[in-house]
Amino acid sequence: MATHKLLLLPGDGIGVEVVGEVKKLLAWLEGKGLASFAIEEDLVGGAAYDDHGESISEAAMKKAAEADAIIFGSVGGPKWAGVPFDKRPEAGLLRLRKDLDLFANLRPAIVYPALADASTLKREVVEGLDILIVRELTGGTYFGEPKEIVTLESGEKRAVDTQVYTTREIKRIAEVAFELARVRRNLVHSSEKHNVMKSGLLWKEVVTELHKAKFSDVKLEHILADNCAMQLVRNPKQFDVIVTDNLFGDILSDAASMVTGSLGMLPSASLGAEINGKRHALYEPVHGSAPDIAGKGLANPIAEFGSFAMALRYSLGLGSLADALERAIARVLAEGVRTADIAAKGENAVGTAEMGKAVIGALDKELATA
Ligand code: IPM
Ligand code: MN
């Protein structure tokens, strides 16, 4: 059996608790002889800053580069509001994305049948929803230079962020989106703001050309990012795959997650290019560190479990185990197990550890019947 190299980076806040549940799952899988892991763990975010004054250490970066998959929790919190910008908790995550060239961020949003009523939208609007946001993750406003605050002669300050995209960056993310659409419902919405932004204009042009050259079998629609946000809450089921830039993708994926009922449900995979049969990959929930509930054992671990399922599928070659884990999540929800974020009024809510235990129990059943 292959031994898979994992790097666990729990980070801050509820990241520690939800990755803790994945750790239990890893031990369980090994105990059952279903998989073998070489597990390392390190600090990232505020936890790393508190330890050694940087949001991620060189040693952790090295482990990340060597891992088959990085299992990430979350970073940030009010505790680090005052730290210098380049050392803030988020910088550790951004460095991982940039240095490992994790340009393709896949953020699926699925509405589980049992949870259709947890959404703030009407059941008929969200029931059966299954969409995928493909977010460009290493370019755009997040990384464009200049990025600065300067003091003008007048004493006034001026802040600059730069939105920048090259043909190559747009092409490679659009390629991922078209390829994924082919094994889904064959529809891609490309979202930008070509009516205002040059980068949007180029984005639209490159996607159109690529579509014509290589993916004319896939249906392509262009949609302005503001309209896309509106359509996501008006009629989300019209979408299959949405491909968009780094900043719009950040915003649209938060909106998509609430359509599913809770930010605590959405997994994500950040993938690099395949080089010599290997690709760097980081798996993280879409949710943040949730400082308000951190350390209380209340967080929903499902997004972290879902992210680990994506790691099984995309990095470890364990697709059927990934399927079983996803079915286990659906089973637990169908059985009515709820953390507070997805519990209806008056419904009993369990904590992080109980939800974790329920998912592992359901996985056991899924594997027995598979
Ligand atoms: C996300 C997060 C990050 C982002 C933060 C933590 C830097 O919100 O993964 O969506 O903005 O990309
Ligand atoms: Mn975000």
Side-chain angles (χ1 to χ4, degrees):
M1 198 190 315
T3 296
H4 304 284
K5 272 172 117 167
L6 298 181
L7 174 62
L8 308 183
L9 293 175
D12 308 320
I14 63 168
V16 178
E17 295 154 73
V18 296
V19 172
E21 295 310 308
V22 169
K23 272 197 230 176
K24 294 180 198 165
L25 173 59
L26 294 173
W28 185 85
L29 289 169
E30 286 203 306
K32 285 264 169 184
L34 291 165
S36 161
F37 303 105
I39 303 167
E40 301 228 53
E41 186 168 335
D42 215 313
L43 302 171
V44 68
Y49 179 79
D50 288 348
D51 185 67
H52 52 72
E54 297 286 345
S55 54
I56 189 159
S57 69
E58 295 307 321
M61 284 304 298
K62 188 161 177 282
K63 286 182 208 163
E66 287 164 1
D68 295 322
I70 303 159
I71 309 299
F72 192 94
S74 53
V75 287
K79 183 178 173 198
W80 302 282
V83 311
F85 191 72
D86 61 325
K87 296 183 191 303
R88 73 200 189 286
E90 291 78 4
L93 174 59
L94 296 178
R95 178 163 177 212
L96 283 160
R97 290 174 179 172
K98 192 70 178 175
D99 285 12
L100 301 178
D101 200 21
L102 307 174
F103 71 94
N105 185 214
L106 316 186
R107 300 193 154 183
I110 303 171
V111 171
Y112 293 90
L115 277 190
D117 290 319
S119 175
T120 47
L121 301 184
K122 294 193 191 84
R123 172 177 269 275
E124 60 267 27
V125 174
V126 300
E127 200 165 26
L129 181 79
D130 177 2
I131 63 176
L132 175 66
I133 297 185
V134 177
R135 169 188 177 194
E136 199 291 326
L137 203 60
T138 50
T141 355
Y142 275 60
F143 298 100
E145 294 287 344
K147 187 176 200 68
E148 61 189 13
I149 300 176
V150 291
T151 306
L152 305 176
E153 266 171 37
S154 63
E156 202 192 354
K157 284 186 179 173
R158 179 169 181 269
V160 187
D161 290 286
T162 304
Q163 164 77 342
V164 49
Y165 273 105
T166 61
T167 307
R168 174 182 152 273
E169 288 175 304
I170 300 166
K171 210 171 148 190
R172 67 177 183 170
I173 192 68
E175 219 145 44
V176 170
F178 283 127
E179 265 159 21
L180 288 167
R182 272 187 179 151
V183 293
R184 295 172 50 94
R185 295 188 304 280
N186 222 32
L187 170 65
V188 170
H189 280 78
S190 169
S191 186
E192 31 62 18
K193 273 193 65 83
H194 69 266
N195 54 344
V196 182
M197 299 162 79
K198 290 285 185 182
S199 56
L201 208 57
L202 183 66
W203 185 283
K204 187 175 180 199
E205 197 180 294
V206 172
V207 173
T208 304
E209 272 170 26
L210 177 70
H211 177 247
K212 220 167 118 192
K214 278 181 70 181
F215 297 99
S216 54
D217 56 305
V218 180
K219 189 163 165 28
L220 170 65
E221 303 274 358
H222 300 279
I223 185 166
L224 294 172
D226 53 346
N227 185 26
C228 189
M230 184 274 276
Q231 295 294 342
L232 264 176
V233 289
R234 191 186 77 92
N235 175 21
K237 282 192 265 182
Q238 69 187 287
F239 297 108
D240 178 17
V241 175
I242 297 172
V243 62
T244 189
D245 78 10
N246 204 343
L247 184 57
F248 293 144
D250 182 43
I251 297 165
L252 294 176
S253 61
D254 259 37
S257 74
M258 252 345 264
V259 169
T260 73
S262 168
L263 204 48
M265 299 292 296
L266 247 72
S268 93
S270 306
L271 309 176
E274 197 172 305
I275 302 165
N276 300 329
K278 193 187 152 142
R279 67 162 97 235
H280 292 305
L282 180 148
Y283 298 87
E284 59 168 320
V286 171
H287 65 69
S289 59
D292 54 326
I293 58 162
K296 296 183 181 161
L298 298 174
N300 183 351
I302 287 180
E304 192 71 53
F305 277 130
S307 302
F308 180 65
M310 294 181 90
L312 290 170
R313 179 172 299 121
Y314 293 113
S315 290
L316 310 185
L318 296 170
S320 52
L321 193 52
D323 293 343
L325 177 53
E326 284 166 357
R327 285 198 309 274
I329 293 169
R331 180 193 273 254
V332 159
L333 295 171
E335 283 167 359
V337 187
R338 300 280 184 272
T339 40
D341 57 312
I342 50 175
K345 252 209 184 105
E347 229 174 10
N348 238 349
V350 303
T352 312
E354 281 157 281
M355 179 58 97
K357 207 170 155 202
V359 170
I360 294 175
L363 178 60
D364 199 16
K365 287 185 204 151
E366 284 297 333
L367 292 170
T369 57

